[in-house]
């Protein structure tokens, strides 16, 4: 989180594998780490192959977090692709 603060971005994209074990506690740890960082910018998250999308959405869908499949800014259009396959690690 210190590196993020140093660069002063407009937003952060957490690009999957926020959880390594698909537990609620792992998403809660991520949420608390952000809260303790002092950052106040939006965080867009996307499920990776080690994430469980319903839990990710439950923990990371209220401000400043958002789960979205598309993000459009002034100069960019980002498409968030979910690579999670239940029961598979790839």
């Amino acid at each position: 989180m210190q590196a993020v603060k140093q660069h002063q971005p407009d937003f952060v994209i957490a690009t999957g594998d926020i959880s390594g074990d698909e537990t609620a506690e792992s998403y809660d740890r991520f949420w608390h780490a952000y809260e303790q960082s002092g950052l106040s910018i939006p965080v867009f998250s996307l499920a990776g192959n080690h994430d469980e999308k319903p839990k990710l959405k439950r923990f990371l869908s209220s401000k400043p977090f958002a789960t979205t499949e598309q993000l459009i800014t002034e100069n960019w259009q980002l498409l968030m692709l979910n690579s999670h396959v239940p029961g598979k690690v790839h």
Side-chain angles (χ1 to χ4, degrees):
M1 296 293 181
Q2 284 301 107
V4 172
K5 287 174 82 169
Q6 183 178 13
H7 291 286
Q8 300 178 351
D10 295 325
F11 57 86
V12 171
I13 300 175
T15 59
D17 290 350
I18 295 167
S19 172
D21 57 8
E22 299 182 357
T23 63
E25 292 80 15
S26 59
Y27 298 106
D28 194 47
R29 278 193 302 272
F30 181 80
W31 190 92
H32 283 292
Y34 180 84
E35 182 180 54
Q36 292 174 353
S37 74
L39 291 169
S40 59
I41 56 175
V43 177
F44 299 95
S45 59
L46 126 98
N49 63 321
H50 292 106
D51 288 305
E52 186 178 303
K53 193 171 183 177
K55 284 182 187 167
L56 184 140
K57 282 188 166 223
R58 185 173 62 212
F59 282 88
L60 303 178
S61 288
S62 59
K63 286 187 178 184
F65 297 100
T67 56
T68 185
E69 294 177 357
Q70 180 180 10
L71 175 62
I72 299 175
T73 68
E74 185 176 335
N75 298 308
W76 293 90
Q77 177 178 358
L78 304 170
L79 302 176
M80 314 291 197
L81 303 175
N82 178 0
S83 65
H84 182 258
V85 178
K88 302 281 184 184
V89 176
H90 56 279

